[in-house]
Amino acid sequence: MINPKLLEQFVVQPGTTVSLKQFVTDWTETDNAKELGKDVIKERANEILAESRKQLDAAQELLYASDTHSVLLVFQAMDAAGKDGTIRHVMAGVNPQGCQVYSFKKPSTEELDHNFLWRYMKALPERGRIGIFNRSYYEDVLVVKVHPEWLGPGQPAKPDNKFWEKRYEDINNFEKHLSRNGTLVLKFFLHVSKGEQKRRFLERLTNPDKHWKFSEADMAEREHWKDYQRAFEDALSATSTKRALWHVIPADRKYVARALVADIVCSAIQDLKLEFPKVSADRMVKLAAARERLEKSPGGDKPEA
Ligand code: AMP
Ligand code: MG
């Protein structure tokens, strides 16, 4: 487990104005980390990931058994920041029946004909499950803030600040509603540098096994880097709340990002202090009777042919 004090630097404190420049993209370049050296950090990060995976599987089982809460993990990032890989690695040890991943793409006309939260509401995790949003309702204050022309029919052509403030407010109210109804909401912005994105795009163009990942659309969005960073800063500032905190995860090193996310998710679920359902005295008597009956019943001495 990572020291909670160390994790504080990745949390957007509610009510603060975010400047992304103040959050590192490569944690191995920080003073603390430099002392340790990259090899030690990588080894330690992989240990943390492995340990957290085991704990996360146990935590999800308890989540299911106690049947009081669900967990919603929200992932947002620039292209090639490693959302998919992080989700894959962090959730690798969890019972597939206990988690559900939704990847949100450009909305359909049907979706655009509804309120902007509609399609996300339908995908929320039921009690006992971990739901993962690979992109989310935050796209509705990010990509469309950079490209208001993609807002869809019935929306202003040139939305003003009030328009976005109302959306942040809607999101905060929505997350408050979720939290009040037993959903633990954890939000991760995978913070990648422009230089690292370039390296990853180049890798997609160079390595034949990665060609399929390259998209001209991603290249086009790279041109809007500054607008996106500003939109992220606005969204993170307006929507990091006590009930639904934003974490800015340094994503230039994939192993760092994965270990941090795994540890934060695990600790947050453990902090719910869930318990397996207590069995009543009455029920214990019934269980003992069932056991006696089963032991007296034929069979079980050796495997049946
Ligand atoms: P990918 O995750 O790379 O498959 O890309 C999905 C694309 O869908 C991204 O370019 C997103 O910006 C876009 N997208 C997701 N949600 C929305 C939304 N609400 N409005 C417009 N575009 C969206
Ligand atoms: Mg993409």
Side-chain angles (χ1 to χ4, degrees):
M1 287 265 127
I2 302 173
N3 183 344
K5 275 263 167 274
L6 184 95
L7 294 176
E8 273 172 23
Q9 63 186 297
F10 307 115
V11 173
V12 175
Q13 294 304 332
T16 55
T17 304
V18 174
S19 161
L20 282 176
K21 288 211 172 72
Q22 283 165 8
F23 287 89
V24 290
T25 55
D26 184 356
W27 191 73
T28 62
E29 290 299 322
T30 59
D31 289 344
N32 271 350
K34 268 188 190 154
E35 266 176 41
L36 291 170
K38 286 201 175 88
D39 289 343
V40 174
I41 293 173
K42 190 169 185 178
E43 203 179 311
R44 185 75 194 101
N46 286 332
E47 281 166 15
I48 290 169
L49 179 61
E51 179 56 29
S52 301
R53 271 180 185 163
K54 274 193 231 146
Q55 293 188 17
L56 199 57
D57 187 39
Q60 190 280 321
E61 197 184 350
L62 183 53
L63 191 71
Y64 188 75
S66 57
D67 201 28
T68 53
H69 288 75
S70 58
V71 177
L72 175 65
L73 308 180
V74 171
F75 287 91
Q76 289 290 158
M78 297 296 288
D79 290 305
K83 287 192 278 56
D84 302 69
T86 303
I87 293 167
R88 181 155 53 94
H89 281 84
V90 172
M91 304 310 292
V94 178
N95 177 356
Q97 295 198 84
C99 56
Q100 41 205 202
V101 186
Y102 287 91
S103 298
F104 293 99
K105 314 275 177 192
K106 286 198 165 69
S108 66
T109 33
E110 189 195 18
E111 288 167 343
L112 285 174
D113 275 341
H114 288 82
N115 62 313
F116 81 95
L117 291 173
W118 182 70
R119 66 171 176 160
Y120 310 100
M121 288 176 175
K122 292 192 301 176
L124 288 168
E126 59 208 85
R127 262 200 308 279
R129 302 277 162 90
I130 302 177
I132 296 147
F133 282 3
N134 183 351
R135 300 184 190 272
S136 66
Y137 40 92
Y138 282 98
E139 290 295 332
D140 298 78
V141 290
L142 292 167
V143 62
V144 289
K145 197 171 186 191
V146 177
H147 298 284
E149 67 278 15
W150 295 347
L151 269 170
Q155 301 294 341
K158 290 201 171 108
D160 55 10
N161 279 343
K162 269 245 148 62
F163 177 88
W164 301 114
E165 277 160 21
K166 283 184 199 160
R167 284 202 166 190
Y168 300 140
E169 192 182 321
D170 285 344
I171 288 176
N172 286 338
N173 287 335
F174 177 53
E175 289 177 345
K176 189 171 180 179
H177 168 73
L178 294 181
S179 158
R180 280 176 166 171
N181 284 271
T183 300
L184 169 67
V185 184
L186 297 170
K187 303 180 292 193
F188 299 95
F189 168 59
L190 302 190
H191 188 24
V192 76
S193 65
K194 202 174 178 190
E196 182 60 22
Q197 189 197 53
K198 181 176 173 180
R199 268 187 289 282
R200 292 184 190 176
F201 280 180
L202 279 172
E203 168 73 7
R204 291 176 180 187
L205 289 166
T206 313
N207 181 345
D209 291 348
K210 294 204 172 171
H211 285 348
W212 65 274
K213 275 193 179 183
F214 183 78
S215 134
E216 271 84 359
D218 292 354
M219 274 294 286
E221 292 319 293
R222 181 175 163 80
E223 309 279 314
H224 299 285
W225 185 273
K226 275 204 174 128
D227 296 333
Y228 272 105
Q229 298 287 301
R230 208 168 305 130
F232 271 113
E233 287 176 340
D234 292 346
L236 298 178
S237 306
T239 62
S240 196
T241 58
K242 244 187 1 211
R243 289 170 180 273
L245 287 171
W246 269 110
H247 301 84
V248 179
I249 302 293
D252 281 0
R253 306 275 168 187
K254 292 176 179 173
Y255 54 87
V256 169
R258 290 167 187 171
L260 285 174
V261 170
D263 190 277
I264 292 168
V265 173
C266 225
S267 309
I269 300 180
Q270 286 169 355
D271 284 350
L272 292 173
K273 306 257 182 286
L274 302 175
E275 285 179 13
F276 283 103
K278 294 250 178 323
V279 178
S280 66
D282 202 28
R283 181 89 186 118
M284 282 304 281
V285 172
K286 288 196 174 122
L287 292 182
R291 188 194 172 95
E292 203 183 320
R293 230 176 111 194
L294 190 60
E295 278 171 351
K296 283 185 188 150
S297 74
D301 304 330
K302 55 180 180 186
E304 279 187 29

